[in-house]
Amino acid sequence: MERRQGEGARRGGPGAPGPRDTYNFSAGPATLPRPVALRVREELAAHAGDGASIIEISHKHPRFIGVLDTAVALYREVTGLPGDHHVLFVHGGARMQCAAVPLNLIGRSPTRTAGYVVTGLFAQQAQREGARYGTAAIVASSQDTGFDRIPEVGGRHCPPDAAFLHLTSNNTVYGTRWTDFPHDCPAPLVADATSDILSRRLDHGRFGIVYAGFQKNLGPAGTALVTVRDDLLGHALPETPRLLDYSVHAASKSLDNTPNTFAVFVLLLTLEWIRDQGGLAAVERTNLAKARLLYGELDRTAFYRPTAHPAHRSVTNIVFRLADESLTGEFLDRAREEGFLGLAGHRLVGGVRASVYNGMPEEGVRALAGFLREFARVRG
């Protein structure tokens, strides 16, 4: 099979780190937009002219405070975040928020009850963590169909005294996503948006809390961005650790302890990149086009079998199997040889997964589509 490279594989230019002959389709930590990666390198190398880069100064330094404030303001601008929602930066990534959400909100219910929609692995983990602090009722699940779709959820499914209804907006492992969120649930909606944050427009006004780990579309792993509506602050259980209390982070503007200053800096660069692309509407159009290209190739032949129901397919995590599963190992080995990295499916489900986040350039997707067609031609 002839080696293929995307149009941008050998594109350099001033300050470029050298030829690019691989494309990283890992589910996370994932590919940064190339211009963002270059700006990070320039900042750390240049030390901004004053002898210290952004990660070598105090988090209380006016220069970092400027970065933090600008990142928050630009996040508001890019997403249209309502003014009564706070933007918080907290440690521990999205997994930590599986505990922080119930600790902060479940006390709003007199029976300590919350609702969970279970659509995959990370939704299951959130529900199990919520059960530590009260009743974590499963209001809907797609487990009986192998998590291949998003279940129907309406107000009638939600416990009447629920403190919140938790859902996972995109299913990283099984490759499904929500396209229409519940409208008539009386409880505030909480979304784990880790794997599709900033990949599409989202009406934050529909949600009480949206949280996301940085490692897909925001920046380095280990930090989470949380947006929380003002009226949901101040309800934390007495046993809530200080650094899991959203009120503490809101009051201190995420500076109660030292935040991950590097992650916030990379987020700012990422937000500037999104703005320069034309905002989330333009980014969403690009992501839809990339997904259509791959799904079109997968649907063209019976050689490949996408696992998600067509009406519920993820745009950022494209999961499929080979009709002859004995060829999966060969497929993945050949893909690595051709420069396509991170395509192995999650260890729980196997198969193949192409994670196409914002940072994956269109030429990388075109190159992968060409590889899919050629492998099917040779081995089909």
Side-chain angles (χ1 to χ4, degrees), residues 139-196:
V139 304
S141 173
S142 54
Q143 186 170 9
D144 60 346
T145 60
F147 295 126
D148 68 341
R149 66 196 66 201
I150 300 298
E152 179 186 358
V153 180
R156 68 183 185 279
H157 298 102
C158 193
D161 59 345
F164 60 88
L165 176 65
H166 182 284
L167 56 87
T168 304
S169 60
N170 184 84
N171 183 346
T172 313
V173 175
Y174 296 90
T176 62
R177 77 163 184 168
W178 291 76
T179 56
D180 188 29
F181 298 99
H183 287 273
D184 53 356
C185 181
L189 293 182
V190 173
D192 174 358
T194 296
S195 55
D196 65 348

Side-chain angles (χ1 to χ4, degrees), residues 15 19 42-43 76 107-108 110 126 164 172 199 206 247 298 337 349:
E42 292 165 2
E43 160 66 18
R76 290 186 180 280
R108 297 177 67 251
F164 60 88
T172 313
S199 70
R206 295 272 307 278
S247 294
L298 294 172
E337 293 171 3
V349 300

